[in-house]
Amino acid sequence: MSRATTFMLFFLAVFFQSGAYGLTFMLPRLFDAFGASEITVGAMLFVTAITTLITVYFSGHLSDALGRLCALGMACLSIAASLFMFGWTSSVGPALVLASALLGFGWGLTYSLGPIVLTRLVRADERVRYFTLLSVFVMAGFGLSPVLASALEARGLTISDAFYATATLCTLSAALFFLLGAPVQRHALVPGPEASSRITLAVLGRIFASRARTPVIMVFLGASVFAGLNNFQTVYADARGLNYANFFLAYTVTVVVFRLILAKFKGGATPYRTIAMLQYIMCASIILFMFSGSSVILYLTVAVLFGLGYGVSYPILVAMTANDADNDIGPQTLQLFALTYFVGIFGFPLIAGWMLTEWGAASVLVLIALLAGIEASMALRRAMRAS
């Protein structure tokens, strides 16, 4: 298998499994069918969060034993089983908890090991470009799955059918990852066995003592903002008489287009200043959403600005994490980056779901706007120190 074909199949596998990510935004709608509230959504995602954190911490142990591509294949099968169970379950109970746990196990592996596999194949000066391409395929999969769900509903099918369809794609993704084990080994920049990527307490101490601690903390804040706006987007849209599919489609198109445009961009002379500028745009989009009401034009503007701010800054932040990491613990640093990301993605909805139920949507939007401003300011401070 050629190097180009290896990259193509790797990115295709990432695209197929990332649709599961977008379907978590359909959980409020799925759970509403059997009378569960946003609080239940937050609770199930909290189960996913705990499982994810445990999995990310031990992902290096598992990948050292099985190989990273094999572990990725297992992760996709776990996600497929989770999605099938979500679609099949019709009440709150053990099956829903198990589905949430399987989802956490699958994502804990895919999002921590995927970037590490990529670092074996690309040089340091290519990381922004290839991490951007990786994020394009992730974003395309995640953003199009809610659109698929909306299209299926419009044709008389159900949200559950969207979960079944995406489970099938995740199974195909698993087959591709299993296939790619030997080609990735053959095309690695440094031939031979994979370096150990186990996380230990000593390694954690080194990471937080290094420059990489800034992006590791920043990604937690950004993930919380992302989850707060997207996980309950169906609720926000229904309350305002809007179509949530328009938001996800506009967001996805914006992210994919701008990431493709910037695929050869290396972050500029001061990458953290670029990140800060983009994240202040992200903060502005949330503030606009507070006051946009039922306007479709403003709704689409919010989606575009958020896609530009969050969507374009994220891959640059991943690349900066890899570059800021000490060379001998690069894989562990990226795994910790994934871990703090998932703390925000799955942990924040527990808080947001409670706030949404008790205090309303405005309280959640105020909080995530504040978090976005803090993250952008951290990037700006880092840029000012570097200049």
Side-chain angles (χ1 to χ4, degrees), residues 12-56:
L12 187 62
V14 167
F15 171 71
F16 284 155
Q17 66 84 23
S18 63
Y21 192 10
L23 283 187
T24 60
F25 307 141
M26 298 296 101
L27 290 180
R29 210 172 187 86
L30 182 72
F31 286 14
D32 184 63
F34 49 84
S37 70
E38 289 82 9
I39 294 178
T40 305
V41 175
M44 291 303 102
L45 289 177
F46 183 71
V47 172
T48 302
I50 296 300
T51 311
T52 300
L53 297 183
I54 295 171
T55 302
V56 171

Side-chain angles (χ1 to χ4, degrees), residues 188-229:
L189 295 179
V190 181
E194 298 171 341
S196 176
S197 53
R198 298 185 180 192
I199 294 178
T200 64
L201 292 178
V203 168
L204 287 177
R206 286 186 59 193
I207 294 171
F208 279 108
S210 73
R211 296 189 306 164
R213 69 177 176 273
T214 297
V216 164
I217 295 170
M218 286 175 61
V219 76
F220 160 73
L221 296 173
S224 298
V225 172
F226 181 83
L229 189 64

Side-chain angles (χ1 to χ4, degrees), residues 309-338:
Y310 178 85
V312 178
S313 66
Y314 178 81
I316 303 176
L317 188 62
V318 179
M320 291 305 100
T321 306
N323 290 345
D324 286 346
D326 294 340
N327 289 333
D328 60 325
I329 55 171
Q332 291 92 329
T333 304
L334 287 172
Q335 286 168 225
L336 183 61
F337 181 90

Side-chain angles (χ1 to χ4, degrees), residues 10-359:
F10 177 77
F11 287 134
L12 187 62
V14 167
F15 171 71
F16 284 155
Q17 66 84 23
S18 63
Y21 192 10
L23 283 187
T24 60
F25 307 141
M26 298 296 101
L27 290 180
R29 210 172 187 86
L30 182 72
F31 286 14
D32 184 63
F34 49 84
S37 70
E38 289 82 9
I39 294 178
T40 305
V41 175
M44 291 303 102
L45 289 177
F46 183 71
V47 172
T48 302
I50 296 300
T51 311
T52 300
L53 297 183
I54 295 171
T55 302
V56 171
Y57 187 86
F58 289 104
S59 61
H61 298 70
L62 185 60
S63 66
D64 285 354
L66 302 177
R68 289 174 189 145
L69 273 300
C70 183
L72 283 170
M74 289 178 55
C76 291
L77 292 178
S78 176
I79 294 173
S82 168
L83 295 181
F84 181 83
M85 292 183 68
F86 272 126
W88 169 76
T89 303
S90 58
S91 63
V92 179
L96 211 57
V97 175
L98 178 58
S100 301
L102 287 172
L103 188 63
F105 174 76
W107 273 342
L109 291 176
T110 55
Y111 286 92
S112 62
L113 298 181
I116 297 173
V117 170
L118 205 53
T119 58
R120 291 203 76 201
L121 297 170
V122 299
R123 302 189 310 270
D125 61 343
E126 298 177 312
R127 283 175 179 164
V128 171
R129 175 186 172 191
Y130 278 93
F131 281 136
T132 298
L133 287 173
L134 175 65
S135 63
V136 165
F137 285 91
V138 170
M139 191 54 56
F142 122 77
L144 292 177
S145 58
V147 177
L148 170 65
S150 178
L152 291 176
E153 281 192 303
R155 285 163 175 76
L157 298 173
T158 66
I159 291 292
S160 293
D161 293 315
F163 278 76
Y164 298 146
T166 309
T168 303
L169 292 177
C170 285
T171 304
L172 180 56
S173 178
L176 289 174
F177 280 130
F178 287 134
L179 176 67
L180 285 169
V184 167
Q185 178 70 22
R186 185 163 57 251
H187 295 296
L189 295 179
V190 181
E194 298 171 341
S196 176
S197 53
R198 298 185 180 192
I199 294 178
T200 64
L201 292 178
V203 168
L204 287 177
R206 286 186 59 193
I207 294 171
F208 279 108
S210 73
R211 296 189 306 164
R213 69 177 176 273
T214 297
V216 164
I217 295 170
M218 286 175 61
V219 76
F220 160 73
L221 296 173
S224 298
V225 172
F226 181 83
L229 189 64
N230 286 280
N231 277 67
F232 301 100
Q233 190 55 232
T234 58
V235 178
Y236 302 144
D238 288 347
R240 301 181 185 203
L242 298 165
N243 184 350
Y244 69 85
N246 292 334
F247 178 91
F248 287 113
L249 184 59
Y251 174 82
T252 303
V253 169
T254 300
V255 173
V256 169
V257 168
F258 277 95
R259 284 182 179 177
L260 286 174
I261 290 173
L262 298 174
K264 294 186 178 181
F265 179 61
K266 298 183 179 180
T270 311
Y272 277 102
R273 181 172 285 116
T274 303
I275 293 171
M277 177 191 69
L278 291 167
Q279 290 179 345
Y280 279 123
I281 293 174
M282 174 180 73
C283 181
S285 72
I286 300 165
I287 295 172
L288 175 61
F289 192 42
M290 294 181 194
F291 304 101
S292 61
S294 58
S295 169
V296 175
I297 298 298
L298 290 180
Y299 189 50
L300 294 176
T301 302
V302 168
V304 170
L305 290 177
F306 190 76
L308 177 61
Y310 178 85
V312 178
S313 66
Y314 178 81
I316 303 176
L317 188 62
V318 179
M320 291 305 100
T321 306
N323 290 345
D324 286 346
D326 294 340
N327 289 333
D328 60 325
I329 55 171
Q332 291 92 329
T333 304
L334 287 172
Q335 286 168 225
L336 183 61
F337 181 90
L339 189 149
T340 56
Y341 170 80
F342 279 119
V343 171
I345 284 292
F346 293 127
F348 188 77
L350 184 66
I351 299 172
W354 175 77
M355 291 178 66
L356 190 62
T357 302
E358 298 295 328
W359 295 343

